[in-house]
Structures are given as C-alpha cells and as structure tokens.
C-alpha cells in the first residue's frame, strides 16, 4: 500500500485532500502539459476563452447548457467556494458529514457554518425537514443563512442522492430563499451509471444554483489544480459571476498556463480521456466493493459505495474493542487505523461529523500499489483484485478489521 509521511495525518490543521486515483498520469495528458511547459503566463482571472468554451461543452454534454460569460475557472474548487462564500455573504449551511474543504473557507471569512443532518438514504444532501428546522432556528437566533453547499455524488460518504430526496431538499432550500452551490466533482465517477440516477440541482432550480466541479475528481491529477463554476442565468447570476471574479482577482487565483492547457484537453473529452476515465471508475468500483465487503463482514457499518474513490466507515459496533485500544473519539481512531493500516484514515471529525463517533474515510487509491508499475498493472489487468499487491493490501485491511471484531467479541459482557 502507498505510505504517507506521518505529518500528513497528525496535526490538528490537517484537512484530508481529495482522494487521489492512485494511478499514473494519462500519457496524452502529460504530453499536452509538457507541450505547454514553456508557456510562462497564466490564464486571465476566471479563465481564458478556450478554457471557458471547453467548460461549456463539458456541461452541455451533461444537460447543463451555459455560455462562457456565466462560467469561471480557478486553480481548484476551494478558490471558487471561497469566492462564492465571500460574494454571497451570510451564514453557510452544509450537510453532516461533508467534504473536508467546504467549511474552512467560510470560517476563514468569519461566517458561521451550520451542519445539517442527512437522510438515511444518502450523504451529501441535507434532510429537508432538518434543513427547514435549522434555517428557522438560525434566523430565530439572529443569524442570516444564505448559502447551502451540497453534493449529489458525495465525498466522504461515496453515495449518490436519489432524485426524490434531492428534489425535496431543493424545494425546501428554495422556499427559504437560499442560494445553492452544487459540488459536482464526483458526478462522473459513479460506479454503476445505469443503477443510479444523478440529477443536478441546477436542473431543478436553475436560477439559484451555482455548479462547481474540481477537475481532480475525474479528469486531472489532484496535483494539477483546476476547477470550473457554472453560474445561474439572469441578472442575479450575472451579478454573482462579477463579484466572484472580483474575489478571484483579489486572491490572484489564476490557473497556470500549462495546467490550463491540460484542463482544456481533458474537458473536451477525447477518446484517451474517456477511456481512462471509464477504466479508472471500473477499477475503483471493484476495489471499493471489496473493501466494503471486508469491512461489513467484520461488523463495521457502511453504506455501499456508489461513486468516487473512497468509503466512509462507522466503527460504532466495535466500540468496546476500540476502547480497549485507548480509542475514545474519531481523532484516536484516525491515529489507530492510520498506524495499523499503513494508509491515511482521516476521522469523521475532519468532515464535520461528531467527534465522539468512531467514523473514518478510507481511499481506494491507497490500495493500488506503491509504484507506477503496480498501479498501471491495476488498470491493465482484467482481474485487478487478484494482483498480488492489491490482494495483499485487502488481506491486510481485512486482518485489521477482523482483529478489532474479535477483540469486541472477547470484551462483550456475558449475557
């Protein structure tokens, strides 16, 4: 398994990055970046014409038509969310749990962040009744909720929100006058596109939804920062777009020229990009399903993964065993599992979850090997789970969870 330096998971300020795909960079993508390496300039603030046209084409193929004057690009989704939060003002609402990078930017701006419980079916989207209750409570206490951030294909829970659940939440948000930011970074990583229906909130409430997509989700390596935002039509969307560009200008948030060239190539989705994307999704779906099966067999709770390159685990049923190892909260669990698994296991508190609950997110990319050769073999093999390095990694994960399950059984009080 891929090893990480200890300082990458210990400090309080640690915010777990987007789960990487653990795979070598697509050669065609590397060639585009290399060809643009002599380009010393950056893109204009908000992105150049070619990049914005490519972004519009990307969304148009997903049923979200747009025009370049309502699109912006930035060096990563965090810069876009920071700019949107600053431009919209007011308090911020997010589901519990949520992507680790959502809340810090609101707090950086001094904006209160309120976490809202999610429904039983999925993560990423607040329960509509809990959302209404939270909005009313915040307003009764003198707050000013204006922005709801959600994700239909979710990090950290790896679930896809059913359309009916999303519709109820969007209706509730619209009734309270909230602006929605839909983080659609993982929409193209669904494990079974025919088994789950994904609708964007922008299809339901186009005039009040801004869509943000970090290209590290499905198109670019996580170390090549580029993201795009699609703003609503109408005067409100025009004004929001202008204010976001002002913030990006103040931040100097421009996409580097070589990265912009790679982003443009990826957004046009030529055959090599589409083939790699499909192969990567198949691979991570198989590894996630195997990881889920091993965890559940050991008594761990987890929703079946439907998207992304990660899995969200609740070790509540093994609490007695965890207590025997000195684990009293998610921080302790993070440290225990990171050491035992030899891979990052960020605790649920990193994602806004309750610190007292023993929950962690694991990433499937960390199970694909420690060298480019091993990772490439995962893509090329018809049976990646049978490759020795993948099989050994899964066996190791199984042994760690089985040991905790056995400890829990030994320490159960007699009935």
């Amino acid at each position: 398994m891929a090893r990480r330096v200890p300082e990458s998971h210990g400090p309080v300020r640690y915010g777990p990055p987007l789960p990487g795909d653990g795979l070598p960079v697509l050669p065609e993508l590397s060639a585009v970046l290399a060809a643009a390496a002599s380009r010393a300039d950056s893109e204009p603030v908000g992105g150049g014409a070619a990049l914005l046209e490519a972004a519009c084409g990307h969304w148009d193929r997903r049923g979200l038509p747009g025009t370049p004057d309502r699109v912006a690009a930035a060096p990563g989704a965090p810069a876009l969310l920071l700019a949107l939060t600053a431009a919209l003002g007011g308090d911020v609402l997010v589901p519990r749990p949520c992507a680790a990078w959502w809340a810090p930017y609101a707090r950086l701006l001094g904006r209160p962040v309120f976490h809202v419980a999610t429904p039983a079916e999925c993560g990423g989207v607040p329960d509509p009744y809990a959302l209404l209750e939270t909005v009313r409570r915040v307003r009764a206490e003198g707050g000013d909720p204006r922005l709801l951030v959600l994700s239909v294909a979710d990090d950290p829970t790896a679930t896809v929100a059913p359309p009916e659940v999303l519709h109820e939440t969007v209706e509730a948000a619209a009734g309270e006058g909230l602006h929605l930011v839909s983080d659609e970074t993982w929409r193209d990583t669904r494990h079974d596109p025919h088994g789950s229906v994904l609708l964007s909130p922008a299809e339901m409430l186009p005039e009040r939804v801004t869509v943000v997509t970090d290209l590290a989700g499905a198109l670019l390596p996580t170390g090549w920062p580029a993201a795009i935002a699609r703003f609503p039509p109408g005067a409100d969307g025009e004004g929001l777009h202008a204010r976001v560009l002002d913030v990006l200008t103040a931040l100097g948030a421009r996409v580097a020229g070589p990265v912009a060239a790679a982003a443009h190539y990826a957004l046009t989705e030529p055959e090599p990009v589409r083939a790699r994307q499909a192969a990567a999704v198949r691979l991570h779906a198989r590894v996630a399903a195997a990881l889920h099966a091993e965890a559940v067999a050991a008594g761990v709770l987890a929703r079946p993964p439907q998207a992304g390159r990660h899995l969200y685990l609740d070790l509540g049923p093994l609490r007695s065993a965890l207590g025997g190892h000195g684990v009293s909260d998610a921080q302790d669990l993070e440290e225990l599992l990171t050491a035992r698994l030899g891979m990052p296991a960020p605790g649920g508190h990193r994602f806004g979850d309750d610190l007292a609950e023993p929950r962690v997110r694991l990433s499937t990319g960390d199970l694909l090997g420690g060298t480019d050769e091993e990772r490439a073999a995962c893509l090329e093999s018809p049976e990646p789970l049978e490759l020795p390095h993948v099989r050994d990694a899964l066996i190791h994960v199984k042994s760690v969870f089985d040991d905790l399950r056995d400890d829990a059984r030994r320490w159960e009080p007699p009935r």
Side-chain angles (χ1 to χ4, degrees), residues 24-34 224 265 272 276 379:
V25 177
L26 179 68
E28 290 84 354
L29 205 55
S30 294
V32 171
L33 187 80
W224 299 6
Y265 175 78
R276 165 57 75 87
L379 274 176

Side-chain angles (χ1 to χ4, degrees), residues 23-51:
L23 299 171
V25 177
L26 179 68
E28 290 84 354
L29 205 55
S30 294
V32 171
L33 187 80
S38 61
R39 180 179 167 185
D41 60 333
S42 61
E43 290 282 288
V45 171
L51 183 56

Side-chain angles (χ1 to χ4, degrees), residues 148-172:
L148 169 63
V149 188
L150 48 74
S151 180
V152 182
D154 184 45
D155 170 25
T157 65
T159 58
V160 176
E164 60 274 12
V165 172
L166 179 65
H167 186 266
E168 291 179 3
T169 298
V170 169
E171 273 197 337

Side-chain angles (χ1 to χ4, degrees), residues 336-365:
L336 175 73
L337 288 183
T338 296
R340 289 201 169 191
L341 294 173
M343 58 187 279
H349 61 301
R350 309 290 187 185
F351 309 98
D353 218 336
D354 188 344
L355 176 63
E357 296 300 326
R359 296 172 184 146
V360 295
R361 186 194 72 185
L362 300 183
S363 298
T364 52

